[in-house]
Amino acid sequence: LAGMLMPAFAGWLAWPARIILTYMLDTAHVLSRIPHIFVQNLGFSWRLMIVSYCMIAGLTFALWWKRRPKNARITDRTSAERHTAGESLRSDARVPA
């Protein structure tokens, strides 16, 4: 039964990929029509590739660092110190005798 339904859903699952791949192919086709765009003997060495990937990773990290969530926890300093010292927070409610 599942084998009969899967082809119907496969088309809907492939729809986003089809849009992206069509855009990529159309962009390559439009750019290929530009005259004298192909330059012969122009290489992209592995060193330049590593530098390019490092620049992309650095830019991505810088943007993430700038937009990262800044969730600070505001607590009462004395209760935080008591809690880290091992005392129970319920001990604050007791009245000394």
Side-chain angles (χ1 to χ4, degrees), residues 6-95:
M6 195 58 184
F9 290 118
W12 287 101
L13 295 175
W15 185 61
R18 182 181 169 104
I19 291 173
I20 293 171
L21 291 173
T22 302
Y23 169 75
M24 291 170 60
L25 287 173
D26 289 345
T27 303
H29 183 71
V30 167
L31 291 176
S32 69
R33 290 184 170 193
I34 299 173
H36 307 294
I37 195 69
F38 182 70
V39 178
Q40 291 192 10
N41 299 328
L42 181 66
F44 203 72
S45 68
W46 63 272
R47 291 181 185 108
L48 190 56
M49 181 68 78
I50 291 174
V51 169
S52 300
Y53 276 122
C54 289
M55 288 174 51
I56 291 170
L59 180 65
T60 304
F61 180 76
L63 290 174
W64 171 81
W65 186 261
K66 184 177 179 183
R67 305 261 316 162
R68 75 183 189 282
K70 297 172 182 76
N71 298 332
R73 180 181 254 175
I74 300 172
T75 60
D76 181 25
R77 185 174 184 164
T78 56
S79 67
E81 289 172 356
R82 281 188 215 132
H83 184 65
T84 56
E87 291 183 25
S88 170
L89 292 177
R90 293 183 184 188
S91 66
D92 295 339
R94 289 189 237 158
V95 178

